[in-house]
């Protein structure tokens, strides 16, 4: 028995990606639900987690710590052709793809506090996404199906909030707390 976490559906297929601790350090596994076949798509030492599949199912964004700190990478759906998108000493986490597959939103503690950032899926400079007066530890972004909004959680003063912000940034709206 081993710990598993963070399942995510593969678009257009009856399958999942998830993180498995079966072979020691966490690795990302692809699981075909029809055949039962499981395939390890990462084999790096350290952290290999947070798989997020592109809308067309052809690429996977993931967090790997093989370079020392957890950074954002994109690879083909089988894990080959890894491209490192971030290079910071701080921790990146929680990638999510835009509807058109051109942009990835993720969280990072770069530049103080855990905040939302976006980056072109092909690489480039990360851009901090403004959330207005909503602050605290911001995590778990998820892009809306229409591509207009990003939902996220915020922890501040021991209280959790569910919020939404325009995909281009701005004043976030708190939907619920507690």
């Amino acid at each position: 028995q081993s710990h598993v976490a963070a399942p995510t559906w593969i678009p257009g297929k009856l399958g999942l990606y998830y993180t498995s601790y079966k072979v020691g350090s966490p690795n990302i596994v692809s699981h075909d639900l029809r055949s039962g076949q499981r395939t390890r798509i990462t084999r790096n030492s350290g952290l290999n987690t947070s798989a997020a599949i592109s809308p067309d199912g052809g690429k996977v964004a993931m967090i790997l710590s093989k370079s020392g700190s957890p950074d954002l990478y994109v690879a083909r759906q089988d894990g080959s052709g890894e491209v490192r998108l971030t290079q910071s000493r701080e921790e990146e986490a929680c990638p999510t793809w835009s509807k058109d597959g051109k942009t990835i939103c993720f969280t990072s503690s770069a530049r103080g506090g855990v905040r939302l950032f976006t980056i072109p899926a092909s690489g480039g400079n990360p851009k901090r996404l403004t959330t207005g007066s909503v602050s605290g530890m911001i995590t778990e972004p998820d892009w809306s199906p229409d591509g207009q909004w990003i939902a996220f959680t915020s922890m501040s003063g021991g209280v959790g909030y569910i919020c939404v912000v325009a995909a281009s940034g701005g004043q976030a709206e708190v939907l619920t707390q507690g």
Side-chain angles (χ1 to χ4, degrees):
Q1 303 249 349
S2 66
H3 182 71
V4 292
T8 187
W9 291 101
I10 301 171
K13 295 183 179 180
L14 189 56
L16 297 168
Y17 280 57
Y18 57 86
T19 301
S20 171
Y21 291 74
K22 189 171 187 171
V23 293
S25 64
N27 278 283
I28 297 171
V29 173
S30 168
H31 187 144
D32 183 316
L33 298 178
R34 291 184 201 271
S35 68
Q37 180 180 354
R38 295 179 184 127
T39 306
R40 238 170 92 187
I41 68 160
T42 58
R43 298 184 178 279
N44 306 303
S45 62
L47 186 68
N48 301 272
T49 192
S50 299
I53 312 304
S54 63
D56 67 3
K59 296 198 178 209
V60 58
M62 56 196 153
I63 303 300
L64 308 177
S65 68
K66 66 183 192 171
S67 60
S69 68
D71 280 306
L72 175 64
Y73 287 75
V74 170
R76 291 183 202 95
Q77 66 178 351
D78 65 359
S80 65
E82 289 174 359
V83 175
R84 185 176 174 187
L85 298 185
T86 63
Q87 297 185 29
S88 73
R89 291 183 186 163
E90 293 78 26
E91 178 180 339
E92 276 75 53
C94 307
T96 183
W97 292 81
S98 62
K99 179 183 175 181
D100 63 9
K102 293 182 179 178
T103 307
I104 298 170
C105 180
F106 63 100
T107 63
S108 177
S109 58
R111 299 186 222 162
V114 179
R115 301 286 185 257
L116 298 176
F117 287 79
T118 58
I119 191 167
S122 59
N125 291 322
K127 176 186 166 195
R128 186 170 169 179
L129 196 67
T130 60
T131 56
S133 61
V134 174
S135 61
M137 186 173 76
I138 295 176
T139 62
E140 301 175 324
D142 191 29
W143 224 295
S144 66
D146 67 4
Q148 300 300 307
W149 301 94
I150 296 172
F152 62 92
T153 60
S154 174
M155 287 292 294
S156 181
V159 178
Y161 301 89
I162 302 293
C163 308
V164 294
V165 67
S168 58
Q171 178 59 52
E173 178 182 351
V174 176
L175 300 178
T176 187
Q177 78 174 52

